[in-house]
């Protein structure tokens, strides 16, 4: 782990209750995504899906360090980010169902879910395109002296976009309050990261921008949260951005049509030993602890309610396509 | 009332908007460096002395970043005025403008607004192919963007103010030959139109064109530099008894088609002049809309005067062929009148 900074700030550990809360958020994302997959197969979701299963600890750990009014930019794989930032499951599900009660009124779809009321503009599905926007939101916070921080998520693939380079350089020179969160899940669609990045760690690039680069176990939500909190404090203190590389793995294919023939079943099995739910679960309690079962039930109910909300929602009118090309007021 | 160049009028517009609204700020390359240029064409010269370097923000040479910064800041309570040194560099930031700025309001179901301005100089001015394009039509083709193109000092200031106050991304195209003198760095062949600009606050509404010269025989629509080519042609033709009406739409999106259609219904003839490349261009769009809406008022085919479908050339004789001249406008007017072209 060369060329990277060690988190030195004193980060107080989370209470047991807060840890259970993180577990529940990860479980919600996991079960939400599994339900999406089933609904897709039933033909109820009229688009592709980029599932977040396996990477839940990153979204939840980062957002655990953020305030409600902090900002976030997401990617084509945004469901987990949106749920972790606080967009309700119902409006997200309704958006996937292409309903007019969706979080984008049916104009976004899976790749553009968001909710500005919790600081998340529509997810930006152009790889790397969110990083300069995130820098702009951070510049705005700095100019307004609001103390807000922006987390910009991108993958190992996005790390190679020029937009990310420009954004990181600008954030560093002006010490903008940004967390550049690289979710390195080892594959840009089908291409292994080793073919696209010449350094061992993407975080190693941070030195080239004059910002700390931190490598985190992206399947350990407590580690992600601790690293994020240190970076958030640094950002709020006016000390500038941090590049956090979260090493993780997507358990599903890149999109719904991907059978993952470019990676081995052994590799997948090894990573599933480090399932973020197992990693935190082992810290929380014995597997037979009844709280796990209670949480499963409560999460299932929340998702049932989200699906019901989506199914009950009206289809948009065809002519709604003509609305909101320009700002029409609050 | 002051007599100002377009560069000066833009500068005063920016200054007044920044005084009026603390969320307005400028960002771009070389815009506020002490001892520097005030942007490539002096528009922001001296503003950092009044507003400081946080609000006149000098950026690295990072066009994607400039656009992204403006978008992110605009979505979160600020009103940025960004610029590129040459419009050609807008291509570097195309994803940010076309996929992010233009679509955020739409993709969010109307819950996110992006009140930003992106200023861009255009026009062929002996700098070769990459600092010379008139690329307005690329951006008029992107739903979600508004596009303005002032050709006078009055309109430059008034449209700048409207653009700053608009809740949508507005691209402002400015012609290099119309900015006004820069002393030793003045542009060869520049027109330097100087116009009266009120001292008090005023705006020019986005979406409203203007008749620059009334006439009953032929409607000529031009923008930016070609407005002046059209006015020159009209003057020449007036001496020959031909009355040309010159329309300057001032805003390209939304386009004031009512003004153009009303004029064509009176004159029955239309010429559209642009410095953009010809094919799939802006003039083609104006012609198509007139053909759809006013075909039965037309007494002659519509004629376009455009740059040829080549990159902008460097050598002055070639550039003279590329940029529509007054004579080409005259020939087009004569053509739609069924008159023979002037002898060469």
């Amino acid at each position: 782990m060369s060329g990277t900074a060690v988190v030195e700030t004193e980060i107080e550990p989370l209470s047991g209750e807060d840890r259970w809360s993180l577990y529940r958020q990860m479980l919600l994302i996991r079960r939400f995504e599994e339900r999406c997959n089933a609904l897709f197969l039933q033909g109820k979701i009229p688009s592709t899906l980029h599932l977040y299963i396996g990477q839940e600890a990153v979204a939840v750990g980062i957002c655990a360090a953020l305030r409600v009014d902090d900002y976030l930019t997401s990617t084509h794989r945004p469901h987990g980010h949106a749920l972790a930032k606080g967009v309700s499951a119902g409006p997200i599900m309704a958006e996937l169902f292409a309903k007019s009660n969706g979080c984008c009124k049916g104009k976004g779809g899976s790749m553009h879910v968001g909710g500005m009321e919790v600081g998340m503009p529509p997810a930006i599905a152009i790889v790397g395109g969110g990083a300069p926007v995130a820098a702009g939101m951070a510049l705005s916070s700095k100019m307004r002296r609001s103390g807000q921080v922006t987390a910009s998520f991108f993958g190992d693939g996005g790390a190679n976009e020029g937009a990310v380079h420009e954004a990181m350089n600008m954030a560093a020179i002006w010490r903008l309050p940004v967390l550049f969160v690289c979710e390195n899940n080892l594959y840009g669609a089908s291409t292994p990261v080793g073919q696209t990045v010449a350094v061992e760690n993407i975080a190693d690039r941070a030195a080239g921008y004059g910002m700390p680069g931190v490598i985190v176990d992206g399947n350990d939500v407590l580690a992600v949260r601790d690293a994020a909190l240190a970076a958030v404090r640094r950002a709020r203190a006016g000390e500038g951005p941090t590049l956090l590389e979260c090493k993780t793995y997507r358990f599903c294919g890149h999109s719904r049509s991907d059978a993952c023939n470019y990676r081995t079943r052994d590799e997948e099995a090894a990573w599933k030993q480090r399932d973020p739910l197992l990693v935190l679960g082992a810290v929380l309690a014995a597997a037979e602890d009844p709280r796990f079962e209670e949480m499963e039930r409560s999460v299932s109910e929340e998702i049932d309610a989200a699906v019901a909300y989506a199914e009950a929602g009206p289809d948009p009118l065809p002519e709604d396509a003509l609305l909101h090309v320009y700002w029409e007021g609050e | 009332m002051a007599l100002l160049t377009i560069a000066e009028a833009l500068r005063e517009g920016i200054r007044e908007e920044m005084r009026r609204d603390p969320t307005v700020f400028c960002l771009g390359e070389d815009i506020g460096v002490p001892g520097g240029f005030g942007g490539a064409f002096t528009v922001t010269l001296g503003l950092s002395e009044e507003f400081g370097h946080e609000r006149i923000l000098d950026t690295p040479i990072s066009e994607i970043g400039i656009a992204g910064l403006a978008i992110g800041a605009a979505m979160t309570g600020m009103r940025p005025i960004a610029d590129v040194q040459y419009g050609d560099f807008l291509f570097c930031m195309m994803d940010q403008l076309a996929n992010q700025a233009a679509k955020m309001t739409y993709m969010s179901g109307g819950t996110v607004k992006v009140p930003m301005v992106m200023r861009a100089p255009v026009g062929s001015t002996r700098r070769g192919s990459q600092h010379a394009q008139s690329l307005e039509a690329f951006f008029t083709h992107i739903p979600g963007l508004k596009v303005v193109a002032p050709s006078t000092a009055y309109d430059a200031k008034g449209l700048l103010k409207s653009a700053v106050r608009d809740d949508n991304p507005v691209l402002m195209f400015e012609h290099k030959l119309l900015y006004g003198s820069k002393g030793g760095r003045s542009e060869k062949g520049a027109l330097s139109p100087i116009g009266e600009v009120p001292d008090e606050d005023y705006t020019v509404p986005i979406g409203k064109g203007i008749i620059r010269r009334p006439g009953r025989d032929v409607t000529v629509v031009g923008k930016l530099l070609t407005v002046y080519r059209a006015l020159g042609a009209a003057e020449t033709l007036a001496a020959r008894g031909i009355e040309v009406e010159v329309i300057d739409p001032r805003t390209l999106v939304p386009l004031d088609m009512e003004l153009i259609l009303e004029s064509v219904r009176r004159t029955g003839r239309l010429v559209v002049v642009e410095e953009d490349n010809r094919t799939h261009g802006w003039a083609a769009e104006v012609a198509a809309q007139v053909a759809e809406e006013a075909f039965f008022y037309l007494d002659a085919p519509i004629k376009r005067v455009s740059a040829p479908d080549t990159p902008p050339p460097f050598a002055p004789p070639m550039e003279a062929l590329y940029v529509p001249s007054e004579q080409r406008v005259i020939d087009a007017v004569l053509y739609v009148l069924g008159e023979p072209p002037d002898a060469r």
Side-chain angles (χ1 to χ4, degrees):
Chain A
M1 304 218 173
S2 60
T4 55
V6 180
V7 177
E8 285 174 6
T9 328
E10 277 297 314
I11 297 295
E12 55 282 9
L14 278 179
S15 70
E17 197 178 325
D18 287 340
R19 291 177 179 196
W20 277 102
S21 165
L22 297 192
Y23 186 87
R24 190 185 186 286
Q25 287 184 56
M26 292 200 295
L27 189 66
L28 176 68
I29 296 171
R30 174 69 56 89
R31 300 296 176 242
F32 183 93
E33 296 281 71
E34 288 169 349
R35 189 76 68 90
C36 287
N37 195 41
L39 291 164
F40 175 87
L41 294 171
Q42 293 165 27
K44 294 200 171 168
I45 293 179
S47 75
T48 189
L49 292 173
H50 299 92
L51 297 176
Y52 196 64
I53 292 173
Q55 300 179 212
E56 295 91 342
V58 181
V60 171
I62 297 290
C63 291
L66 299 178
R67 306 192 312 221
V68 175
D69 70 334
D70 285 332
Y71 299 122
L72 178 160
T73 65
S74 182
T75 69
H76 57 283
R77 198 180 301 288
H79 309 168
H81 302 146
L83 287 165
K85 189 67 179 73
V87 183
S88 301
I92 299 174
M93 190 64 86
E95 190 62 33
L96 304 187
F97 274 59
K99 295 297 186 73
S100 64
N101 61 343
C103 57
C104 306
K105 301 193 176 83
K107 287 224 169 73
S110 166
M111 286 194 278
H112 301 299
V113 298
M116 208 57 193
E117 70 284 353
V118 293
M120 181 179 172
I124 289 171
I126 303 295
V127 173
V133 176
M137 299 198 295
L139 175 69
S140 163
S141 309
K142 187 183 178 200
M143 294 181 83
R144 291 182 288 108
R145 288 157 181 75
S146 66
Q148 292 160 292
V149 164
T150 301
S152 179
F153 289 88
F154 53 91
D156 45 292
N160 296 327
E161 287 282 2
V164 175
H165 163 69
E166 294 190 15
M168 287 206 211
N169 182 52
M170 286 173 145
I173 57 175
W174 296 317
R175 298 192 174 197
L176 300 181
V178 192
L179 273 64
F180 292 104
V181 182
C182 178
E183 300 190 62
N184 182 352
N185 64 18
L186 307 186
Y187 296 87
S190 67
T191 307
V193 66
Q195 289 183 27
T196 60
V197 176
V199 285
E200 187 185 348
N201 306 294
I202 288 162
D204 295 346
R205 293 178 176 174
Y209 298 105
M211 73 172 82
V214 180
I215 297 166
V216 193
D217 176 352
N219 285 26
D220 179 349
V221 71
L222 299 177
V224 174
R225 176 263 180 190
D226 289 354
L229 196 55
V232 163
R233 285 183 182 164
R234 184 183 135 77
R236 283 205 221 286
E239 292 168 27
T242 300
L243 171 56
L244 284 175
E245 180 183 2
C246 302
K247 307 266 194 191
T248 186
Y249 199 77
R250 89 176 127 63
F251 288 178
C252 302
H254 165 68
S255 64
R256 273 291 316 148
S257 56
D258 175 8
C260 293
N261 291 328
Y262 46 85
R263 60 188 199 189
T264 66
R265 300 297 89 91
D266 284 350
E267 180 183 280
E268 291 173 355
W271 275 95
K272 282 181 182 172
Q273 297 294 309
R274 302 218 65 254
D275 183 324
L277 288 169
L278 295 179
V279 172
L280 179 59
V283 174
L284 287 175
E288 60 276 11
D289 191 298
R291 283 174 289 183
F292 287 116
E293 202 45 51
E294 284 164 30
M295 206 158 265
E296 285 283 2
R297 196 161 43 244
S298 121
V299 160
S300 183
E301 284 168 12
E302 186 172 342
I303 295 168
D304 289 345
V307 173
Y309 177 85
E311 287 186 327
D315 289 329
L317 300 171
E319 53 270 33
D320 288 349
L322 306 179
L323 302 176
H324 304 304
V325 178
Y326 295 95
W327 178 249
E328 296 172 14
E330 304 289 346
Chain B
M1 199 71 84
L3 286 172
L4 301 180
T5 64
I6 286 183
E8 290 165 341
L10 288 168
R11 188 182 308 138
E12 288 315 300
I14 293 169
R15 189 194 307 278
E16 288 174 19
E17 289 305 288
M18 289 183 69
R19 284 179 182 163
R20 184 185 60 80
D21 181 349
T23 68
V24 178
F25 72 103
C26 293
L27 70 162
E29 297 156 8
D30 300 302
I31 65 170
V33 176
F37 319 126
F41 294 91
T42 74
V43 169
T44 53
L45 195 65
L47 292 178
S48 62
E49 288 157 28
E50 176 172 350
F51 299 106
H53 293 285
E54 191 179 40
R55 291 182 72 197
I56 301 292
L57 185 63
D58 287 300
T59 68
I61 303 173
S62 300
E63 283 82 11
I64 304 172
I66 291 169
L69 282 176
I71 294 163
M75 288 196 298
T76 54
M78 303 298 286
R79 289 186 176 269
I81 306 171
D83 76 50
V84 287
Q85 299 202 330
Y86 291 86
D88 311 69
F89 309 164
L90 291 174
F91 290 144
C92 301
M93 57 170 72
M94 205 62 173
D95 170 61
Q96 290 293 319
L97 293 176
N99 283 321
Q100 316 309 339
K103 295 181 173 63
M104 277 296 151
T105 297
Y106 192 78
M107 295 196 308
S108 69
T111 60
V112 173
K113 64 179 171 185
V114 189
M116 61 174 277
V117 180
M118 180 66 69
R119 299 181 32 248
V122 293
S124 191
T125 53
R126 305 192 178 173
R127 288 173 168 90
S129 291
Q130 296 179 343
H131 292 66
Q133 295 162 91
S134 290
L135 29 66
E136 298 92 291
F138 285 94
F139 299 92
T140 57
H141 199 62
I142 299 171
L145 301 179
K146 293 186 178 181
V147 180
V148 299
S151 67
T152 68
Y154 180 91
D155 287 349
K157 184 175 174 184
L159 280 170
L160 183 281
K161 285 173 169 252
S162 290
V164 169
R165 297 175 196 187
D166 200 283
D167 284 327
N168 296 282
V170 181
L171 263 83
M172 183 164 210
F173 289 103
E174 303 157 9
H175 200 287
K176 297 181 205 93
L177 293 183
L178 300 180
Y179 275 122
S181 172
K182 289 200 299 178
R185 294 194 68 218
S186 68
E187 299 289 319
K188 283 189 178 57
L191 296 186
S192 302
I194 290 170
E196 289 192 340
V197 176
D199 299 321
E200 64 269 22
D201 188 39
Y202 74 97
T203 59
V204 171
I206 291 176
K208 284 286 174 204
I210 192 168
I211 297 175
R212 292 281 178 215
R213 178 188 175 110
R216 62 172 190 277
D217 296 326
V218 179
T219 300
V220 177
V221 179
K223 60 180 163 68
L224 296 167
L225 182 67
T226 63
V227 170
Y228 294 92
R229 299 285 187 255
L231 287 169
E235 191 67 26
T236 302
L237 289 163
R240 294 150 68 166
I242 297 167
E243 294 300 326
V244 172
E245 179 149 300
V246 177
I247 290 182
D248 176 0
R250 304 192 289 190
T251 296
L252 308 182
V253 177
L255 187 60
D256 190 354
M257 274 313 295
E258 259 324 295
L259 183 72
I260 295 169
L261 289 167
E262 186 278 328
S263 175
V264 171
R265 287 185 195 115
R266 278 189 284 107
T267 63
R269 292 177 169 83
L270 174 66
V271 172
V272 191
V273 197
E274 61 181 351
E275 197 177 319
D276 315 42
N277 300 117
R278 178 178 180 82
T279 303
H280 306 294
W282 176 76
E285 175 59 28
V286 175
Q289 290 200 43
V290 169
E292 283 182 333
E293 303 294 328
F295 183 78
F296 295 106
Y297 292 87
L298 289 171
D299 297 321
I302 299 165
K303 192 75 181 161
R304 286 176 288 164
V305 179
S306 312
D309 290 331
T310 69
F314 162 63
M318 293 193 284
E319 189 181 84
L321 176 131
Y322 180 86
V323 180
S325 63
E326 218 169 276
Q327 187 60 51
R328 284 183 62 201
V329 180
I330 290 170
D331 289 348
V333 169
L334 294 174
Y335 174 84
V336 300
L337 285 167
E339 308 262 349
D342 286 342
R344 293 286 192 280

